[in-house]
Amino acid sequence: MQHSKKIMYILGLFLSMNTYALEPEYTAYDKHKAVITCMQHIYLEKYQEIPAEEDAFPLCEQRFLSLSRTLPHKDFLIAKNTLSSLENASSSVNTTDHSIEKTTNIYYDMMLGIPTEIIQTDKSTE
């Protein structure tokens, strides 16, 4: 019995050390908010009437890691706060700013698992 506890302790220690490292400037709170957004989307989309077949946390954690390596932290904060500021009628965000729109799209596309369409700009086919 003692042997199995030691194995479980070592396995737990290994897993905790092997978690995804946060990119510079990203906080545990940033990760928490993004992962929760992702998980809510998955569970609301697929499992409202039936129990979830698997835990979405690892997938959402992986999506956050990809996002944190793609989007600088300042852009992450803009994207995360854009929707909430639009919902609170006191929006100080300029919704006509295309860079904010693009940043917000990157955030939600990655966290919600929406494939990003690559637009070809090859002029040789014209």
Side-chain angles (χ1 to χ4, degrees):
M1 187 72 158
Q2 242 358 328
H3 183 65
S4 64
K5 285 185 181 182
K6 285 182 184 178
I7 291 173
M8 292 302 288
Y9 175 77
I10 292 170
L11 181 61
L13 185 61
F14 173 75
L15 291 174
S16 67
M17 290 172 44
N18 202 19
T19 58
Y20 298 114
L22 294 175
E23 291 295 311
E25 298 183 10
Y26 277 86
T27 65
Y29 181 75
D30 296 331
K31 178 181 175 183
H32 172 77
K33 291 299 286 183
V35 168
I36 292 298
T37 298
C38 172
M39 290 176 64
Q40 284 175 336
H41 175 75
I42 289 172
Y43 289 121
L44 287 174
E45 182 181 70
K46 296 182 179 180
Y47 303 115
Q48 283 189 16
E49 297 181 18
I50 59 171
E53 296 169 3
E54 59 188 42
D55 185 7
F57 182 79
L59 172 64
C60 292
E61 192 175 39
Q62 185 178 28
R63 287 180 182 174
F64 173 77
L65 179 64
S66 296
L67 178 70
S68 70
R69 292 180 176 166
T70 303
L71 209 56
H73 187 253
K74 66 178 183 59
D75 291 340
F76 168 84
L77 293 176
I78 290 169
K80 185 176 66 114
N81 295 326
T82 297
L83 185 60
S84 61
S85 63
L86 290 174
E87 288 173 347
N88 299 331
S90 64
S91 174
S92 61
V93 176
N94 179 5
T95 57
T96 60
D97 186 343
H98 295 294
S99 65
I100 291 175
E101 182 181 348
K102 181 179 177 187
T103 299
T104 305
N105 287 344
I106 291 170
Y107 173 85
Y108 284 104
D109 288 354
M110 289 189 95
M111 292 312 299
L112 303 182
I114 299 168
T116 304
E117 212 174 294
I118 299 174
I119 300 171
Q120 297 291 335
T121 56
D122 185 9
K123 297 186 183 224
S124 64
T125 59
E126 292 179 351

